[in-house]
Amino acid sequence: MLDREGLLANFTRDTGITLPGEQVSRLEDYIRLLQEYNQKVKLTAITAEEEIWRKHVLDSLLIFLALEIPAGARLVDVGTGAGIPGLLLKIYRPDLRVVLVESQRKKVTFLEEVVAKLGLQHIECLWSRAEELGRQEGYRESFDLAVARALAGMNTLVEYCLPLVRVGGSMVAYKGPGGEEELEAAARAIRMLGGKTGAVWRGRLPGGLEERMLITIRKETPTPALYPRRPGMPAKRPLA
C-alpha cells in the first residue's frame, strides 16, 4: 500500500490534478477529525488514513476530469454524509459556494464542526431532505451543479438532484461499474425532470482496480412543479 505522498504523486502523474500544500494540510485535518468523530458516530467504514485518501479524497476529485467547474460555481451535495464529496471539493476549490445537505442531524453536527475548525467560508450545512429542499425558494433550480455519491439509484437520484439545478447547470452522479444499467433505467425520469444525459467519464480509483463512472446530466428545461414528490416517494416509487 502506498503512503499518502506516493498516492498523491501517482494521482498527479495520472490525472494532472495537483494538490497545493495548504489544501493537503486542510485535508489532513479533515481526515483526523473524521477518524476522531467516527469513534462516536459512524460516518465511514473506511478508517485507515491511506484508504481515506484513496477511496474518499482522491475519488471525490475525479469529478475535475469529468467536467469543468467554473470559478465561484454554486454547488449542492445531496446526501453528503461525512461531507463526501462536497466538503472535499470545497477544500480543494475554495472558490466554490457549497451547500451540504444531510438528513441525519448527527452528521450535520460533524460537518458544522469541521467547517468551523477548518475556517471554511461560503459553505452551508443543512439538516434537510432533498425532497424538501427542492421545493424551497432560494434552493430550487438555483445551483450550477448538484453532486451525489453512494446515495441511490439513478432514477431516484435524478429526482433528488435535478429540481435543485438551474437550467443550463448539471448534476453529476458518482457510480461504479453498474452505472450504465442505472442510467438506462433512468432515461425517462431524466427527460421528465428536464434533464439530458451528457458525458460519462470512465476510469479507475487511484491506486486500485475499482471501476468508476461519473455521469453528467445537463438541465435543459425547468423541472415540472410536481417534482420532487413528498419525502420518501422518490426512493419508494422511483420514476420509471
Side-chain angles (χ1 to χ4, degrees):
M1 178 71 67
L2 289 174
D3 60 13
R4 190 256 297 164
E5 288 78 8
L7 281 173
L8 292 183
N10 286 353
F11 184 68
T12 298
R13 181 198 65 202
D14 295 341
T15 66
I17 297 174
T18 300
L19 279 81
E22 182 180 354
Q23 274 88 329
V24 171
S25 178
R26 276 185 164 173
L27 288 166
E28 287 177 332
D29 290 340
Y30 165 80
I31 291 172
R32 176 180 52 79
L33 291 168
L34 176 63
Q35 290 173 318
E36 291 175 358
Y37 211 89
N38 202 57
Q39 296 176 19
K40 302 178 292 182
V41 175
K42 190 68 171 179
L43 297 169
T44 176
I46 300 168
T47 56
E49 182 177 354
E50 290 78 10
E51 284 296 271
I52 293 174
W53 272 101
R54 192 173 76 86
K55 292 186 176 181
H56 287 334
V57 178
L58 300 185
D59 188 26
S60 295
L61 298 184
L62 291 175
I63 194 172
F64 295 106
L65 302 179
L67 80 167
E68 184 175 346
I69 303 178
R74 191 172 189 228
L75 179 151
V76 59
D77 180 9
V78 176
T80 187
I84 305 165
L87 181 55
L88 301 175
L89 301 182
K90 172 65 178 180
I91 292 173
Y92 177 70
R93 280 278 303 273
D95 63 283
L96 298 176
R97 295 171 294 142
V98 174
V99 174
L100 305 175
V101 182
E102 173 54 46
S103 63
Q104 294 187 39
R105 187 68 184 92
K106 57 189 178 181
K107 293 181 179 180
V108 176
T109 299
F110 165 73
L111 296 172
E112 291 170 338
E113 182 176 326
V114 172
V115 167
K117 289 187 174 179
L118 298 187
L120 301 177
Q121 303 294 318
H122 305 298
I123 181 167
E124 186 178 5
C125 306
L126 288 182
W127 178 28
S128 181
R129 296 183 62 123
E131 302 99 314
E132 297 167 337
L133 203 67
R135 291 188 167 276
Q136 291 184 27
E137 185 178 353
Y139 297 102
R140 182 179 175 89
E141 297 196 320
S142 68
F143 291 92
D144 302 299
L145 178 64
V147 297
R149 178 179 181 266
L151 181 62
M154 279 296 296
N155 52 358
T156 297
L157 206 57
V158 292
E159 190 171 353
Y160 290 158
C161 293
L162 282 177
L164 293 165
V165 177
R166 66 172 178 81
V167 173
S170 301
M171 65 165 281
V172 173
Y174 288 70
K175 290 292 179 181
E180 200 76 64
E181 290 79 8
E182 288 190 35
L183 182 59
E184 184 176 343
R188 181 169 177 267
I190 291 169
R191 293 193 300 271
M192 289 172 62
L193 296 165
K196 181 178 181 180
T197 303
V200 178
W201 181 89
R202 295 174 177 82
R204 294 189 181 276
L205 193 65
L209 299 177
E210 301 97 328
E211 295 181 31
R212 288 291 182 265
M213 291 179 61
L214 273 72
I215 301 172
T216 300
I217 307 295
R218 294 281 298 170
K219 181 73 169 283
E220 294 205 323
T221 59
T223 298
L226 177 63
Y227 304 106
R229 290 168 292 168
R230 61 182 173 82
M233 287 299 292
K236 188 178 295 184
R237 298 180 183 173
L239 299 173

